[in-house]
């Protein structure tokens, strides 16, 4: 997501800020910018794309001088990635510049109010209201104006602000978004992330919600929400850069697995109002369509397989799911009554783009489910719903997949509401279960140490099978892919009932079969498949819902996950499978974040 940093001292701020932004690159971003105070004015540089583009611009501007400044890497939320939308944002009078992480929920209201006073806005961002409101509130006292401004903001923020009239001073404030102050000698810093600080100082102040810091070269003063100065401890850190980027986790994959409750929350919560699902971005009449076709690649396709089950079940409309590399060359039958849902974390997968173009040519309406704002798929689609998972760095997707499934489920409930194929009671109950996904995902993560032990037990199985029925089968596809992607073990997902038609021939003593058993309607059927493989000597690791006692008599090992609606179970049951893949790969000494032969974003055919 976005990253912010700031510096005030005796050295030129530009190179220090750019270095800080480079350290924040790992988080993912689509544009960057810096601003410095110099000669009683604020100078700004912004660039879409890489920080290196910003460095080129900086090097071409010898007059870009100043010893106090702020910087930002932006991951677009409000408004496309562009130089105008990139931070810092400047007030209309040119006196203040701000960088911001987070979301200002009431920005539209503040913006409308300020526009009434004739203040002109340049960008589409929520952030710009902060700096415009600050300039409006400013009557000569920087601190007072800032305190007044932040008291109006709803949502989350970590901000850094400079003023042309107050050389050497930075104000930084925080609410529900990370912010650290870096303490040096004769120079001080701030950043959203420790990585932007560790090469300059290892002494930091952790800012808490509601606090405001006044940072000058020789002092850092911290105030509470009423403006009273408070004492804060300085913490000495001993992280190196690499571990800092991963927030202390050994791999990005683990960090991203652990981020899932937060990613789900960010994807779900803004779209539920008064217990209803609201897609402001979706002006779509579902009655127009007589079928839905889902297409994607890799894990996104597996999310689509789950989506197929949910949409068909709730909307009673035929749904197909197909890998994009097949669909694009198949001359599929579709027309203007077909809704095509394309799913992509990166929004740049070549096969998915080609399949989507093919469908559009045939007259279908395309709805994209994408994580990266402003990506090619987001732009080409007729409609786009974003997962708000934040940047995903590990090649094997985790939070990308679970947020895609959650969003597909929300879409299914929303569409069923429109088509009147769902009762009020069922709608309300699905909304509640969707809202509880982040908390249940968190509880599934509590299985971490138990899954680690199971991975230590089973890591040397050279060939594994994942079985399940219905929604469990859809989840099995992803569980198996996760394992093979990062551990290089042979792994296959099979519809449990299909085993007997061939694959059971491969079951031999000691073979591990992972049985997903959360789809309770077919539990007894899956149990009979478990018995069949056990009779041939397989060892069975089962994943079932909490409260399921009978599974203990069938399987060698059991992982119980929090109960949820059967249609949503894949979001939760995949979590121990992600952890299992992670620890098996670790036991086998594999390069977890960058598995051999794979790429995060496959932009060629
Ligand atoms: C690659 C990645 C997978 C991903 C697939 C689709 O193969 O390694 O993790 O699921 O591409 O990517 P997308 O960005 O379209 O979701």
């Amino acid at each position: 997501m976005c990253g912010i940093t700031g510096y005030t001292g005796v050295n030129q701020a530009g190179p220090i800020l750019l270095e800080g932004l480079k350290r924040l690159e790992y988080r993912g971003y689509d544009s960057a910018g810096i601003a410095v105070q110099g000669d009683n004015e604020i100078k700004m540089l912004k660039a879409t794309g890489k920080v290196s583009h910003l460095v080129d611009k900086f090097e071409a501007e010898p007059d870009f001088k100043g010893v106090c400044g702020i910087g930002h890497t932006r991951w677009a939320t409000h408004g496309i990635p562009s130089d105008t939308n990139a931070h810092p944002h400047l007030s209309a009078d040119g006196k203040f510049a701000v960088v911001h992480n987070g979301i200002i929920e009431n920005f539209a209201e503040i913006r409308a109010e300020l526009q009434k006073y004739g203040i002109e806005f340049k960008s589409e961002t929520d952030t710009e209201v902060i700096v415009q409101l600050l300039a409006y509130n400013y009557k000569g006292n920087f601190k007072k104006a800032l305190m007044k401004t932040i008291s109006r903001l709803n949502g989350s923020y970590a901000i850094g602000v400079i003023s042309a009239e107050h050389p050497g001073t930075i104000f930084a404030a925080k609410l529900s978004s990370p912010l650290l102050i870096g303490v040096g000698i004769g120079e001080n810093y701030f950043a959203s992330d420790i990585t932007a600080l560790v090469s300059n100082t290892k002494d930091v102040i952790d800012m808490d919600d509601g606090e405001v810091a006044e940072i000058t070269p020789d002092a850092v003063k911290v105030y509470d929400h009423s403006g009273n100065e408070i004492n804060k401890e300085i913490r000495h850190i001993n992280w190196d850069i690499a571990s800092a980027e991963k927030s202390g986790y050994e791999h990005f994959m683990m960090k991203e697995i652990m981020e899932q409750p937060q990613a789900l929350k960010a994807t779900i919560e803004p779209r539920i109002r008064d217990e209803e699902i609201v897609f402001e971005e979706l002006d779509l009449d579902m009655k127009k369509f007589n079928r839905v076709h889902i297409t994607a690649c890799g894990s996104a396709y597996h999310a689509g397989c789950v989506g197929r089950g949910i949409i068909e079940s709730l909307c009673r409309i035929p749904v197909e799911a197909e890998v994009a590399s097949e669909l694009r060359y198949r001359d599929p039958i579709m027309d203007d009554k077909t809704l095509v849902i394309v799913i992509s974390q990166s929004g740049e997968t070549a096969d998915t783009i080609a399949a989507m173009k093919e469908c559009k040519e045939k007259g279908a309406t395309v709805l994209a489910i994408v994580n990266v704002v402003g990506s090619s798929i987001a732009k080409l689609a007729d409609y786009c719903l974003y997962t708000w998972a934040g940047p995903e760095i590990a090649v094997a997707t985790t939070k990308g997949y679970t947020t895609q499934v959650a969003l597909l489920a929300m879409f299914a409930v929303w569409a069923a509401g429109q088509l009147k194929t769902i009762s009020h009671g069922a709608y309300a109950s699905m909304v509640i279960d969707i809202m509880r996904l982040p908390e249940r995902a968190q509880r599934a993560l509590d299985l971490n140490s138990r899954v680690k032990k199971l991975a230590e037990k089973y890591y040397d199985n050279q060939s594994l099978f994942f079985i399940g029925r219905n929604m469990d089968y859809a989840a099995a596809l992803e569980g198996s892919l996760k394992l093979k992607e990062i551990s290089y073990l042979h792994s296959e997902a099979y519809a449990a009932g299909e085993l007997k038609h061939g694959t059971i021939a491969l079951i031999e003593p000691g073979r591990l079969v992972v049985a997903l058993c959360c789809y309770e309607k077919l539990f007894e059927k899956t149990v009979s498949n478990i018995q069949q493989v056990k009779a041939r000597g397989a060892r069975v690791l089962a994943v079932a819902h909490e409260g399921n006692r009978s599974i203990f008599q069938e399987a060698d090992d059991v992982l119980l996950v929090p109960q949820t609606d059967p249609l949503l179970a894949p979001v939760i049951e995949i979590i121990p499978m992600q952890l299992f893949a992670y620890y098996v790969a670790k036991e086998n000494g594999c390069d977890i974040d960058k598995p051999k032969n794979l790429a995060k974003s496959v932009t060629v055919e």
Side-chain angles (χ1 to χ4, degrees), residues 296-301 343-350 352 377 392 394-398 404 478 481-482 485 598-602:
C297 300
S299 297
Y301 163 69
I343 310 168
S344 175
Q345 188 284 127
S346 63
E348 302 295 348
T349 304
T352 311
I377 292 178
E392 210 179 40
V395 166
T397 178
T398 50
Q404 283 162 357
E478 177 60 7
L481 178 66
K482 242 8 25 144
E485 272 182 323
L598 299 179
K600 181 71 185 156
S601 182
V602 185

PDB file of all heavy atoms in Angstrom, residues 296-301 343-350 352 377 392 394-398 404 478 481-482 485 598-602, ligand 1:
ATOM      1  N   ALA A 296     -10.307 -16.672 -15.726  1.00  0.00           N
ATOM      2  CA  ALA A 296      -9.120 -16.182 -15.009  1.00  0.00           C
ATOM      3  C   ALA A 296      -8.015 -17.220 -15.157  1.00  0.00           C
ATOM      4  O   ALA A 296      -8.202 -18.241 -15.828  1.00  0.00           O
ATOM      5  CB  ALA A 296      -9.457 -15.981 -13.527  1.00  0.00           C
ATOM      6  N   CYS A 297      -6.885 -16.972 -14.519  1.00  0.00           N
ATOM      7  CA  CYS A 297      -5.760 -17.928 -14.539  1.00  0.00           C
ATOM      8  C   CYS A 297      -5.337 -18.263 -13.106  1.00  0.00           C
ATOM      9  O   CYS A 297      -5.494 -17.446 -12.207  1.00  0.00           O
ATOM     10  CB  CYS A 297      -4.546 -17.312 -15.232  1.00  0.00           C
ATOM     11  SG  CYS A 297      -4.853 -16.833 -16.917  1.00  0.00           S
ATOM     12  N   GLY A 298      -4.742 -19.425 -12.947  1.00  0.00           N
ATOM     13  CA  GLY A 298      -4.118 -19.796 -11.676  1.00  0.00           C
ATOM     14  C   GLY A 298      -5.099 -19.747 -10.513  1.00  0.00           C
ATOM     15  O   GLY A 298      -6.238 -20.233 -10.593  1.00  0.00           O
ATOM     16  N   SER A 299      -4.648 -19.146  -9.435  1.00  0.00           N
ATOM     17  CA  SER A 299      -5.486 -19.086  -8.231  1.00  0.00           C
ATOM     18  C   SER A 299      -6.747 -18.259  -8.465  1.00  0.00           C
ATOM     19  O   SER A 299      -7.782 -18.519  -7.857  1.00  0.00           O
ATOM     20  CB  SER A 299      -4.698 -18.459  -7.085  1.00  0.00           C
ATOM     21  OG  SER A 299      -3.615 -19.273  -6.774  1.00  0.00           O
ATOM     22  N   ALA A 300      -6.634 -17.269  -9.323  1.00  0.00           N
ATOM     23  CA  ALA A 300      -7.817 -16.435  -9.605  1.00  0.00           C
ATOM     24  C   ALA A 300      -8.900 -17.309 -10.248  1.00  0.00           C
ATOM     25  O   ALA A 300     -10.095 -17.140  -9.989  1.00  0.00           O
ATOM     26  CB  ALA A 300      -7.429 -15.269 -10.507  1.00  0.00           C
ATOM     27  N   TYR A 301      -8.460 -18.267 -11.092  1.00  0.00           N
ATOM     28  CA  TYR A 301      -9.421 -19.211 -11.675  1.00  0.00           C
ATOM     29  C   TYR A 301     -10.048 -20.068 -10.563  1.00  0.00           C
ATOM     30  O   TYR A 301     -11.246 -20.332 -10.563  1.00  0.00           O
ATOM     31  CB  TYR A 301      -8.730 -20.080 -12.734  1.00  0.00           C
ATOM     32  CG  TYR A 301      -9.501 -21.321 -13.082  1.00  0.00           C
ATOM     33  CD1 TYR A 301     -10.707 -21.250 -13.780  1.00  0.00           C
ATOM     34  CD2 TYR A 301      -9.047 -22.584 -12.682  1.00  0.00           C
ATOM     35  CE1 TYR A 301     -11.434 -22.397 -14.082  1.00  0.00           C
ATOM     36  CE2 TYR A 301      -9.766 -23.731 -12.971  1.00  0.00           C
ATOM     37  CZ  TYR A 301     -10.965 -23.630 -13.664  1.00  0.00           C
ATOM     38  OH  TYR A 301     -11.689 -24.762 -13.944  1.00  0.00           O
ATOM     39  N   ILE A 343     -11.280 -12.372 -13.294  1.00  0.00           N
ATOM     40  CA  ILE A 343     -10.680 -12.204 -11.967  1.00  0.00           C
ATOM     41  C   ILE A 343      -9.165 -12.155 -12.129  1.00  0.00           C
ATOM     42  O   ILE A 343      -8.583 -13.008 -12.813  1.00  0.00           O
ATOM     43  CB  ILE A 343     -11.060 -13.375 -11.033  1.00  0.00           C
ATOM     44  CG1 ILE A 343     -12.573 -13.596 -11.054  1.00  0.00           C
ATOM     45  CG2 ILE A 343     -10.587 -13.116  -9.606  1.00  0.00           C
ATOM     46  CD1 ILE A 343     -13.008 -14.891 -10.399  1.00  0.00           C
ATOM     47  N   SER A 344      -8.547 -11.161 -11.501  1.00  0.00           N
ATOM     48  CA  SER A 344      -7.089 -11.079 -11.594  1.00  0.00           C
ATOM     49  C   SER A 344      -6.539 -10.228 -10.461  1.00  0.00           C
ATOM     50  O   SER A 344      -6.997  -9.110 -10.256  1.00  0.00           O
ATOM     51  CB  SER A 344      -6.691 -10.456 -12.936  1.00  0.00           C
ATOM     52  OG  SER A 344      -5.305 -10.274 -13.002  1.00  0.00           O
ATOM     53  N   GLN A 345      -5.584 -10.763  -9.738  1.00  0.00           N
ATOM     54  CA  GLN A 345      -4.936  -9.977  -8.694  1.00  0.00           C
ATOM     55  C   GLN A 345      -4.196  -8.804  -9.329  1.00  0.00           C
ATOM     56  O   GLN A 345      -4.426  -7.664  -8.973  1.00  0.00           O
ATOM     57  CB  GLN A 345      -3.978 -10.883  -7.905  1.00  0.00           C
ATOM     58  CG  GLN A 345      -3.361 -10.269  -6.669  1.00  0.00           C
ATOM     59  CD  GLN A 345      -2.246  -9.301  -6.946  1.00  0.00           C
ATOM     60  OE1 GLN A 345      -2.282  -8.155  -6.453  1.00  0.00           O
ATOM     61  NE2 GLN A 345      -1.276  -9.668  -7.737  1.00  0.00           N
ATOM     62  N   SER A 346      -3.326  -9.111 -10.293  1.00  0.00           N
ATOM     63  CA  SER A 346      -2.463  -8.077 -10.879  1.00  0.00           C
ATOM     64  C   SER A 346      -3.202  -7.187 -11.859  1.00  0.00           C
ATOM     65  O   SER A 346      -2.842  -6.033 -12.052  1.00  0.00           O
ATOM     66  CB  SER A 346      -1.305  -8.737 -11.613  1.00  0.00           C
ATOM     67  OG  SER A 346      -1.803  -9.513 -12.697  1.00  0.00           O
ATOM     68  N   GLY A 347      -4.214  -7.744 -12.508  1.00  0.00           N
ATOM     69  CA  GLY A 347      -4.903  -6.992 -13.563  1.00  0.00           C
ATOM     70  C   GLY A 347      -4.091  -6.927 -14.840  1.00  0.00           C
ATOM     71  O   GLY A 347      -4.418  -6.172 -15.759  1.00  0.00           O
ATOM     72  N   GLU A 348      -3.030  -7.726 -14.935  1.00  0.00           N
ATOM     73  CA  GLU A 348      -2.149  -7.636 -16.102  1.00  0.00           C
ATOM     74  C   GLU A 348      -1.899  -8.989 -16.768  1.00  0.00           C
ATOM     75  O   GLU A 348      -1.051  -9.081 -17.650  1.00  0.00           O
ATOM     76  CB  GLU A 348      -0.782  -7.039 -15.693  1.00  0.00           C
ATOM     77  CG  GLU A 348      -0.840  -5.667 -15.056  1.00  0.00           C
ATOM     78  CD  GLU A 348      -1.354  -4.573 -15.993  1.00  0.00           C
ATOM     79  OE1 GLU A 348      -1.453  -4.832 -17.218  1.00  0.00           O
ATOM     80  OE2 GLU A 348      -1.686  -3.485 -15.495  1.00  0.00           O
ATOM     81  N   THR A 349      -2.579 -10.034 -16.366  1.00  0.00           N
ATOM     82  CA  THR A 349      -2.290 -11.367 -16.905  1.00  0.00           C
ATOM     83  C   THR A 349      -2.710 -11.445 -18.382  1.00  0.00           C
ATOM     84  O   THR A 349      -3.869 -11.194 -18.726  1.00  0.00           O
ATOM     85  CB  THR A 349      -3.006 -12.435 -16.058  1.00  0.00           C
ATOM     86  OG1 THR A 349      -2.569 -12.249 -14.716  1.00  0.00           O
ATOM     87  CG2 THR A 349      -2.677 -13.835 -16.505  1.00  0.00           C
ATOM     88  N   ALA A 350      -1.732 -11.804 -19.229  1.00  0.00           N
ATOM     89  CA  ALA A 350      -1.946 -11.728 -20.679  1.00  0.00           C
ATOM     90  C   ALA A 350      -3.116 -12.590 -21.145  1.00  0.00           C
ATOM     91  O   ALA A 350      -3.961 -12.118 -21.914  1.00  0.00           O
ATOM     92  CB  ALA A 350      -0.667 -12.137 -21.399  1.00  0.00           C
ATOM     93  N   THR A 352      -5.693 -13.631 -19.503  1.00  0.00           N
ATOM     94  CA  THR A 352      -6.970 -13.113 -18.997  1.00  0.00           C
ATOM     95  C   THR A 352      -7.409 -11.898 -19.827  1.00  0.00           C
ATOM     96  O   THR A 352      -8.588 -11.760 -20.180  1.00  0.00           O
ATOM     97  CB  THR A 352      -6.838 -12.750 -17.500  1.00  0.00           C
ATOM     98  OG1 THR A 352      -6.240 -13.852 -16.821  1.00  0.00           O
ATOM     99  CG2 THR A 352      -8.177 -12.437 -16.873  1.00  0.00           C
ATOM    100  N   ILE A 377      -6.660  -4.688 -16.896  1.00  0.00           N
ATOM    101  CA  ILE A 377      -7.975  -5.352 -16.833  1.00  0.00           C
ATOM    102  C   ILE A 377      -9.009  -4.409 -16.224  1.00  0.00           C
ATOM    103  O   ILE A 377     -10.141  -4.314 -16.709  1.00  0.00           O
ATOM    104  CB  ILE A 377      -7.866  -6.691 -16.065  1.00  0.00           C
ATOM    105  CG1 ILE A 377      -7.033  -7.672 -16.891  1.00  0.00           C
ATOM    106  CG2 ILE A 377      -9.248  -7.258 -15.722  1.00  0.00           C
ATOM    107  CD1 ILE A 377      -6.775  -9.025 -16.269  1.00  0.00           C
ATOM    108  N   GLU A 392       0.540  -7.466  -3.088  1.00  0.00           N
ATOM    109  CA  GLU A 392       0.950  -8.835  -2.783  1.00  0.00           C
ATOM    110  C   GLU A 392       2.298  -9.051  -3.450  1.00  0.00           C
ATOM    111  O   GLU A 392       2.448  -8.841  -4.651  1.00  0.00           O
ATOM    112  CB  GLU A 392      -0.098  -9.814  -3.340  1.00  0.00           C
ATOM    113  CG  GLU A 392      -0.190 -11.073  -2.546  1.00  0.00           C
ATOM    114  CD  GLU A 392      -1.237 -12.015  -3.105  1.00  0.00           C
ATOM    115  OE1 GLU A 392      -1.353 -12.128  -4.347  1.00  0.00           O
ATOM    116  OE2 GLU A 392      -1.941 -12.637  -2.317  1.00  0.00           O
ATOM    117  N   ALA A 394       4.663 -11.921  -2.533  1.00  0.00           N
ATOM    118  CA  ALA A 394       5.003 -13.338  -2.727  1.00  0.00           C
ATOM    119  C   ALA A 394       4.352 -13.837  -4.020  1.00  0.00           C
ATOM    120  O   ALA A 394       3.210 -13.473  -4.315  1.00  0.00           O
ATOM    121  CB  ALA A 394       4.507 -14.159  -1.543  1.00  0.00           C
ATOM    122  N   VAL A 395       5.074 -14.656  -4.766  1.00  0.00           N
ATOM    123  CA  VAL A 395       4.529 -15.157  -6.033  1.00  0.00           C
ATOM    124  C   VAL A 395       3.243 -15.955  -5.780  1.00  0.00           C
ATOM    125  O   VAL A 395       2.244 -15.792  -6.479  1.00  0.00           O
ATOM    126  CB  VAL A 395       5.593 -16.009  -6.775  1.00  0.00           C
ATOM    127  CG1 VAL A 395       4.956 -16.805  -7.903  1.00  0.00           C
ATOM    128  CG2 VAL A 395       6.679 -15.100  -7.339  1.00  0.00           C
ATOM    129  N   ALA A 396       3.251 -16.813  -4.776  1.00  0.00           N
ATOM    130  CA  ALA A 396       2.056 -17.610  -4.483  1.00  0.00           C
ATOM    131  C   ALA A 396       1.034 -16.708  -3.778  1.00  0.00           C
ATOM    132  O   ALA A 396       1.283 -16.205  -2.688  1.00  0.00           O
ATOM    133  CB  ALA A 396       2.423 -18.788  -3.597  1.00  0.00           C
ATOM    134  N   THR A 397      -0.100 -16.518  -4.424  1.00  0.00           N
ATOM    135  CA  THR A 397      -1.096 -15.606  -3.853  1.00  0.00           C
ATOM    136  C   THR A 397      -1.800 -16.242  -2.648  1.00  0.00           C
ATOM    137  O   THR A 397      -2.028 -17.450  -2.596  1.00  0.00           O
ATOM    138  CB  THR A 397      -2.138 -15.208  -4.920  1.00  0.00           C
ATOM    139  OG1 THR A 397      -3.113 -14.352  -4.310  1.00  0.00           O
ATOM    140  CG2 THR A 397      -2.855 -16.413  -5.495  1.00  0.00           C
ATOM    141  N   THR A 398      -2.120 -15.421  -1.672  1.00  0.00           N
ATOM    142  CA  THR A 398      -2.865 -15.898  -0.502  1.00  0.00           C
ATOM    143  C   THR A 398      -4.006 -14.920  -0.221  1.00  0.00           C
ATOM    144  O   THR A 398      -5.160 -15.219  -0.469  1.00  0.00           O
ATOM    145  CB  THR A 398      -1.930 -16.013   0.729  1.00  0.00           C
ATOM    146  OG1 THR A 398      -1.199 -14.795   0.881  1.00  0.00           O
ATOM    147  CG2 THR A 398      -0.988 -17.183   0.581  1.00  0.00           C
ATOM    148  N   GLN A 404     -10.643 -12.288  -3.252  1.00  0.00           N
ATOM    149  CA  GLN A 404     -11.424 -12.509  -4.495  1.00  0.00           C
ATOM    150  C   GLN A 404     -12.673 -13.334  -4.183  1.00  0.00           C
ATOM    151  O   GLN A 404     -13.777 -13.016  -4.632  1.00  0.00           O
ATOM    152  CB  GLN A 404     -10.567 -13.262  -5.534  1.00  0.00           C
ATOM    153  CG  GLN A 404      -9.547 -12.388  -6.226  1.00  0.00           C
ATOM    154  CD  GLN A 404      -8.430 -13.187  -6.898  1.00  0.00           C
ATOM    155  OE1 GLN A 404      -8.368 -14.416  -6.806  1.00  0.00           O
ATOM    156  NE2 GLN A 404      -7.543 -12.491  -7.577  1.00  0.00           N
ATOM    157  N   GLU A 478      -7.248 -25.049  -4.983  1.00  0.00           N
ATOM    158  CA  GLU A 478      -6.313 -24.009  -4.562  1.00  0.00           C
ATOM    159  C   GLU A 478      -5.309 -24.548  -3.537  1.00  0.00           C
ATOM    160  O   GLU A 478      -4.123 -24.224  -3.593  1.00  0.00           O
ATOM    161  CB  GLU A 478      -7.104 -22.814  -4.001  1.00  0.00           C
ATOM    162  CG  GLU A 478      -6.264 -21.675  -3.451  1.00  0.00           C
ATOM    163  CD  GLU A 478      -5.321 -21.019  -4.447  1.00  0.00           C
ATOM    164  OE1 GLU A 478      -5.378 -21.355  -5.647  1.00  0.00           O
ATOM    165  OE2 GLU A 478      -4.498 -20.196  -4.023  1.00  0.00           O
ATOM    166  N   LEU A 481      -2.713 -26.445  -5.481  1.00  0.00           N
ATOM    167  CA  LEU A 481      -1.839 -25.550  -6.263  1.00  0.00           C
ATOM    168  C   LEU A 481      -0.822 -24.857  -5.357  1.00  0.00           C
ATOM    169  O   LEU A 481       0.361 -24.752  -5.687  1.00  0.00           O
ATOM    170  CB  LEU A 481      -2.680 -24.509  -7.016  1.00  0.00           C
ATOM    171  CG  LEU A 481      -1.882 -23.477  -7.825  1.00  0.00           C
ATOM    172  CD1 LEU A 481      -1.150 -24.152  -8.984  1.00  0.00           C
ATOM    173  CD2 LEU A 481      -2.781 -22.379  -8.379  1.00  0.00           C
ATOM    174  N   LYS A 482      -1.311 -24.379  -4.204  1.00  0.00           N
ATOM    175  CA  LYS A 482      -0.408 -23.684  -3.265  1.00  0.00           C
ATOM    176  C   LYS A 482       0.778 -24.577  -2.936  1.00  0.00           C
ATOM    177  O   LYS A 482       1.925 -24.161  -2.970  1.00  0.00           O
ATOM    178  CB  LYS A 482      -1.166 -23.386  -1.984  1.00  0.00           C
ATOM    179  CG  LYS A 482      -1.469 -22.091  -1.410  1.00  0.00           C
ATOM    180  CD  LYS A 482      -1.249 -20.787  -2.008  1.00  0.00           C
ATOM    181  CE  LYS A 482      -1.200 -20.650  -3.456  1.00  0.00           C
ATOM    182  NZ  LYS A 482      -1.633 -19.664  -4.229  1.00  0.00           N
ATOM    183  N   GLU A 485       3.105 -25.248  -6.031  1.00  0.00           N
ATOM    184  CA  GLU A 485       3.820 -24.034  -6.456  1.00  0.00           C
ATOM    185  C   GLU A 485       5.090 -23.795  -5.646  1.00  0.00           C
ATOM    186  O   GLU A 485       6.112 -23.432  -6.202  1.00  0.00           O
ATOM    187  CB  GLU A 485       2.925 -22.807  -6.221  1.00  0.00           C
ATOM    188  CG  GLU A 485       2.007 -22.441  -7.335  1.00  0.00           C
ATOM    189  CD  GLU A 485       1.205 -21.183  -7.003  1.00  0.00           C
ATOM    190  OE1 GLU A 485       0.795 -20.981  -5.834  1.00  0.00           O
ATOM    191  OE2 GLU A 485       0.976 -20.402  -7.914  1.00  0.00           O
ATOM    192  N   LEU A 598       8.286 -19.725 -11.760  1.00  0.00           N
ATOM    193  CA  LEU A 598       7.002 -19.015 -11.674  1.00  0.00           C
ATOM    194  C   LEU A 598       7.216 -17.503 -11.615  1.00  0.00           C
ATOM    195  O   LEU A 598       8.250 -17.040 -11.170  1.00  0.00           O
ATOM    196  CB  LEU A 598       6.227 -19.453 -10.431  1.00  0.00           C
ATOM    197  CG  LEU A 598       5.851 -20.923 -10.345  1.00  0.00           C
ATOM    198  CD1 LEU A 598       5.104 -21.202  -9.056  1.00  0.00           C
ATOM    199  CD2 LEU A 598       4.995 -21.331 -11.539  1.00  0.00           C
ATOM    200  N   ALA A 599       6.187 -16.778 -12.047  1.00  0.00           N
ATOM    201  CA  ALA A 599       6.253 -15.314 -11.972  1.00  0.00           C
ATOM    202  C   ALA A 599       4.999 -14.821 -11.278  1.00  0.00           C
ATOM    203  O   ALA A 599       3.950 -15.455 -11.344  1.00  0.00           O
ATOM    204  CB  ALA A 599       6.325 -14.726 -13.368  1.00  0.00           C
ATOM    205  N   LYS A 600       5.122 -13.685 -10.641  1.00  0.00           N
ATOM    206  CA  LYS A 600       3.969 -13.106  -9.953  1.00  0.00           C
ATOM    207  C   LYS A 600       2.917 -12.662 -10.952  1.00  0.00           C
ATOM    208  O   LYS A 600       1.741 -12.867 -10.763  1.00  0.00           O
ATOM    209  CB  LYS A 600       4.441 -11.906  -9.104  1.00  0.00           C
ATOM    210  CG  LYS A 600       3.340 -11.225  -8.311  1.00  0.00           C
ATOM    211  CD  LYS A 600       2.889 -12.117  -7.188  1.00  0.00           C
ATOM    212  CE  LYS A 600       1.706 -11.572  -6.429  1.00  0.00           C
ATOM    213  NZ  LYS A 600       0.966 -12.664  -5.759  1.00  0.00           N
ATOM    214  N   SER A 601       3.371 -12.013 -11.981  1.00  0.00           N
ATOM    215  CA  SER A 601       2.420 -11.500 -12.947  1.00  0.00           C
ATOM    216  C   SER A 601       2.856 -11.977 -14.327  1.00  0.00           C
ATOM    217  O   SER A 601       3.963 -11.670 -14.772  1.00  0.00           O
ATOM    218  CB  SER A 601       2.425  -9.972 -12.857  1.00  0.00           C
ATOM    219  OG  SER A 601       1.496  -9.461 -13.746  1.00  0.00           O
ATOM    220  N   VAL A 602       2.000 -12.771 -14.984  1.00  0.00           N
ATOM    221  CA  VAL A 602       2.403 -13.379 -16.253  1.00  0.00           C
ATOM    222  C   VAL A 602       1.841 -12.524 -17.385  1.00  0.00           C
ATOM    223  O   VAL A 602       0.707 -12.711 -17.824  1.00  0.00           O
ATOM    224  CB  VAL A 602       1.927 -14.844 -16.323  1.00  0.00           C
ATOM    225  CG1 VAL A 602       2.452 -15.513 -17.589  1.00  0.00           C
ATOM    226  CG2 VAL A 602       2.432 -15.618 -15.105  1.00  0.00           C
TER     227      VAL A 602
HETATM  228  C1  LIG B   1       0.571 -16.354 -11.890  1.00  0.00           C
HETATM  229  C2  LIG B   1       0.749 -16.311 -10.375  1.00  0.00           C
HETATM  230  C3  LIG B   1      -0.472 -16.906  -9.675  1.00  0.00           C
HETATM  231  C4  LIG B   1      -1.729 -16.183 -10.131  1.00  0.00           C
HETATM  232  C5  LIG B   1      -1.862 -16.191 -11.663  1.00  0.00           C
HETATM  233  C6  LIG B   1      -2.948 -15.251 -12.125  1.00  0.00           C
HETATM  234  O1  LIG B   1       0.604 -17.674 -12.332  1.00  0.00           O
HETATM  235  O2  LIG B   1       1.913 -17.020 -10.002  1.00  0.00           O
HETATM  236  O3  LIG B   1      -0.338 -16.779  -8.272  1.00  0.00           O
HETATM  237  O4  LIG B   1      -2.844 -16.785  -9.558  1.00  0.00           O
HETATM  238  O5  LIG B   1      -0.642 -15.730 -12.278  1.00  0.00           O
HETATM  239  O6  LIG B   1      -2.556 -13.943 -11.813  1.00  0.00           O
HETATM  240  P1  LIG B   1      -3.545 -12.741 -11.649  1.00  0.00           P
HETATM  241  O7  LIG B   1      -2.657 -11.565 -11.354  1.00  0.00           O
HETATM  242  O8  LIG B   1      -4.263 -12.604 -12.969  1.00  0.00           O
HETATM  243  O9  LIG B   1      -4.474 -13.052 -10.539  1.00  0.00           O
END
